[in-house]
Amino acid sequence: MTGSRRIAVLISGRGSNLQALIDATAEGRLDAEIALVISNRADAQGLARAREAGIETLTVLVHELQSRSVSLVCLAGFMRLLGATFLDAFPNAILNVHPSLLPAFPGMDAQRQAWEYGTRIAGATVHFVTGELDGGPIVRQAAVPVLDTDSPETLAARILEQEHRIYPEAVAAVLAGGWSLEGRRFRPAGRTRHR
Ligand code: GRF
């Protein structure tokens, strides 16, 4: 990663996590500049949110990102696995938000998977993207209790609130620099290990 604070957000649909990042930058909770929003679908609702915020939009990738000096790529509901070319172009510089406490329930429909399994605690995870599906080092997590009255939809809505909270926090932690990865463990700047 370079020292710039320019980020790109990749979407495929609704774009509510994109909106959380836009709002956090607008309100000063996240010191970053959203340089562009990219969708692999031209009909993604999130593209309208980006245009509304005056952010450049594109429907395609690596060259477009590099030519705009993007240092961190944020997947936000992006529904396509990234290939080796893309991953190699942005080593430890791609984040994703996933609606479960990874490593539990990777893949599609994670909130429903957790509800059907009968887990009492669900949650959300922001992690680095690697070649393994939902498998990279974890930057932030939030736990969400599963209520007896929950349906998969009500649970997903509470998880989404936590996604919107922890994603901007995680982006800020990564952009702050000074962090390291010890194996799979993300160590923010200034944290030393207790022995
Ligand atoms: C979120 O639940 C995210 O965790 C998952 O896809 C969903 C995207 O929602 N990866 P939105 O488009 O950000 O509203």
Side-chain angles (χ1 to χ4, degrees), residues 13-18 76-77 96-99 111 160 163:
R14 182 175 56 184
S16 70
N17 277 288
L18 161 67
N96 182 44
V97 60
H98 182 78
Q111 308 96 321
L160 193 61
E163 294 181 41

Side-chain angles (χ1 to χ4, degrees), residues 14 99 109-116 122 144-161 163:
R14 182 175 56 184
D109 230 350
Q111 308 96 321
R112 179 175 288 277
Q113 287 187 55
W115 184 84
E116 284 178 354
V144 176
V146 181
L147 308 178
D148 292 335
T149 50
D150 265 333
S151 64
E153 290 74 25
T154 58
L155 176 61
R158 288 204 315 290
I159 291 173
L160 193 61
E161 286 175 16
E163 294 181 41

Side-chain angles (χ1 to χ4, degrees), residues 15-195:
S16 70
N17 277 288
L18 161 67
Q19 191 69 54
L21 292 166
I22 291 172
D23 293 347
T25 53
E27 292 162 22
R29 285 179 284 120
L30 172 60
D31 179 16
E33 182 195 350
I34 304 177
L36 79 159
V37 170
I38 299 180
S39 173
N40 66 328
R41 297 181 55 131
D43 59 352
Q45 285 169 257
L47 288 171
R49 298 179 191 262
R51 287 189 208 105
E52 179 74 27
I55 300 165
E56 184 182 7
T57 58
L58 279 177
T59 29
V60 256
L61 277 172
V62 174
H63 170 74
E64 282 80 5
L65 296 170
Q66 288 175 337
S67 68
R68 287 163 180 82
S69 311
V70 161
S71 61
L72 180 65
V73 178
C74 306
L75 308 188
F78 190 65
M79 297 292 287
R80 192 181 279 182
L81 279 179
L82 296 173
T85 309
F86 194 103
L87 295 172
D88 291 349
F90 290 95
N92 293 333
I94 308 170
L95 292 176
N96 182 44
V97 60
H98 182 78
S100 78
L101 284 179
L102 290 171
F105 310 120
M108 294 295 290
D109 230 350
Q111 308 96 321
R112 179 175 288 277
Q113 287 187 55
W115 184 84
E116 284 178 354
Y117 192 92
T119 184
R120 305 303 300 180
I121 310 282
T125 303
V126 178
H127 63 93
F128 283 108
V129 173
T130 62
E132 187 192 343
L133 176 69
D134 299 326
I138 290 167
V139 179
R140 276 279 197 290
Q141 285 188 307
V144 176
V146 181
L147 308 178
D148 292 335
T149 50
D150 265 333
S151 64
E153 290 74 25
T154 58
L155 176 61
R158 288 204 315 290
I159 291 173
L160 193 61
E161 286 175 16
Q162 294 306 311
E163 294 181 41
H164 296 169
R165 183 176 64 82
I166 65 173
Y167 208 2
E169 286 179 8
V171 173
V174 171
L175 286 179
W179 49 269
S180 58
L181 287 175
E182 273 181 34
R184 295 190 44 88
R185 192 173 304 278
F186 176 79
R187 289 200 181 281
R191 299 262 178 93
T192 50
R193 181 166 31 166
H194 292 286
R195 295 186 184 271

